Amino acid sequence: MAEAIAAVRDGFIGLARGDFEVPVRTALCDGRFLVMSVHHRPTATAMVKTLSLNFEGRVPAIDGTVVWSDLAGTDHLVADAAAVTTLRTGAASGVATDLLAPPNASHCLLIGAGAQAADQARAMYAVRPLQRLTIVGRSAGRAQALANQLAEELPRVSVVVGTDVRDVLGDADLVCCATTSTEPLFELEQLRPEVHINAIGSYRPTMRELPDPILADATVYVDEVEPVLQESGEVIHAIAAGALAESELTEIGAALLSGAAATGRTVFKSVGVAVQDWAVAQLLARD
């Protein structure tokens, strides 16, 4: 995870500098099929990912293929898209958390226990002195299974399963939302004055993890503005309601370049960009 976070951080910085050619991804069947591609100009390498998403009972919920190519040679790296996607999404949250969260943040609330959840927790562990991890999911069984798995991986962390988000929010200084919810998961009044939120679950306009008042109150960072405006249900809703302006969205790459530190409540909203996949794929290709 630490290597993936470093690679994705470099990718975001490269995106801000204009090092990448990134077409808008193709979304079919209301976002259930995705095709993402990217070209890294300095190295003449490219990545194409094809993905299908089905969170309604299919196992695995994320399936597809990543292909990484280099103009200097004829070999291609082919990798499992589910593994790359969960790792790069966790790494992106790790980059944002490392930049934006309080340095001493030690209690993470993880909402969701599905395919993306474990790498969100691993990323928080990699960048902050995590002592407590509370998992709340729709399925108590899946949440407990994830808690058992992470308790073995994260030895210094007390990992517990919660039953109600509202019971935990006032105590958490890190919140990771990894759900397919179409309704906000909690309200502004339930949050601490200084809290960092990673919202990575929603990737369609019909999906929404955060309510308008949180986006109005917090400093909002995104992976890339254009796809967020097209695909993030919470951002689309907040702008339409007048709670948020497009000009208030800051790309994480630009923030990394400027080194600007945020205070108060911060949100990182990610719908996923191909640069993140390229960053992990080039690590695999290098090895």
Side-chain angles (χ1 to χ4, degrees):
M1 180 56 76
E3 288 183 87
I5 289 171
V8 170
R9 179 185 293 113
D10 289 345
F12 279 137
I13 291 172
L15 180 62
R17 287 177 172 160
D19 291 345
F20 290 93
E21 178 184 0
V22 192
V24 176
R25 70 184 176 191
T26 300
L28 305 172
C29 191
D30 193 24
R32 293 177 177 86
F33 295 98
L34 300 174
V35 180
M36 306 171 68
S37 59
V38 61
H39 163 227
H40 185 232
R41 295 184 177 97
T43 59
T45 57
M47 187 283 315
V48 178
K49 180 172 77 171
T50 59
L51 200 64
S52 68
L53 303 164
N54 182 350
F55 294 100
E56 299 171 1
R58 189 184 76 179
V59 179
I62 301 171
D63 186 51
T65 303
V66 168
V67 179
W68 186 91
S69 304
D70 185 344
L71 273 184
T74 56
D75 291 335
H76 301 281
L77 169 80
V78 180
D80 173 57
V84 171
T85 299
T86 58
L87 179 58
R88 61 83 148 154
T89 307
S93 292
V95 171
T97 301
D98 197 31
L99 178 68
L100 303 172
N104 61 347
S106 61
H107 182 198
C108 176
L109 168 60
L110 175 58
I111 307 175
Q116 298 272 22
D119 276 328
Q120 292 295 307
R122 293 174 183 130
M124 299 304 99
Y125 183 81
V127 300
R128 284 299 180 267
L130 207 61
Q131 296 177 6
R132 297 169 59 196
L133 173 65
T134 304
I135 303 171
V136 178
R138 287 184 301 177
S139 165
R142 288 184 71 178
Q144 188 61 60
L146 179 61
N148 295 341
Q149 174 189 347
L150 291 173
E152 293 185 4
E153 290 186 33
L154 315 179
R156 70 167 186 255
V157 181
S158 171
V159 184
V160 298
V161 173
T163 56
D164 192 329
V165 168
R166 294 170 295 183
D167 294 337
V168 187
L169 271 171
D171 233 9
D173 35 30
L174 298 172
V175 179
C176 291
C177 305
T179 76
T180 57
S181 180
T182 58
E183 297 292 335
L185 300 169
F186 48 83
E187 300 301 328
L188 172 65
E189 296 74 16
Q190 298 164 339
L191 293 170
R192 293 180 62 165
E194 287 204 7
V195 62
H196 174 67
I197 303 168
N198 297 303
I200 62 93
S202 67
Y203 59 94
R204 301 200 302 258
T206 53
M207 301 169 74
R208 194 169 161 228
E209 293 182 306
L210 304 179
D212 296 342
I214 288 178
L215 296 180
D217 175 80
T219 308
V220 181
Y221 296 80
V222 298
D223 39 18
E224 192 176 16
V225 168
E226 184 178 0
V228 164
L229 291 176
Q230 293 182 14
E231 300 170 6
S232 167
E234 44 269 283
V235 170
I236 293 169
H237 192 282
I239 289 176
L244 182 70
E246 180 180 339
S247 60
E248 295 176 294
L249 301 175
T250 301
E251 292 189 349
I252 197 72
L256 289 164
L257 278 176
S258 69
T263 57
R265 297 184 177 110
T266 53
V267 168
F268 174 57
K269 175 58 213 169
S270 174
V271 295
V273 292
V275 168
Q276 298 162 239
D277 300 289
W278 175 89
V280 170
Q282 63 88 24
L283 275 183
L284 298 173
R286 187 181 67 193
D287 290 342

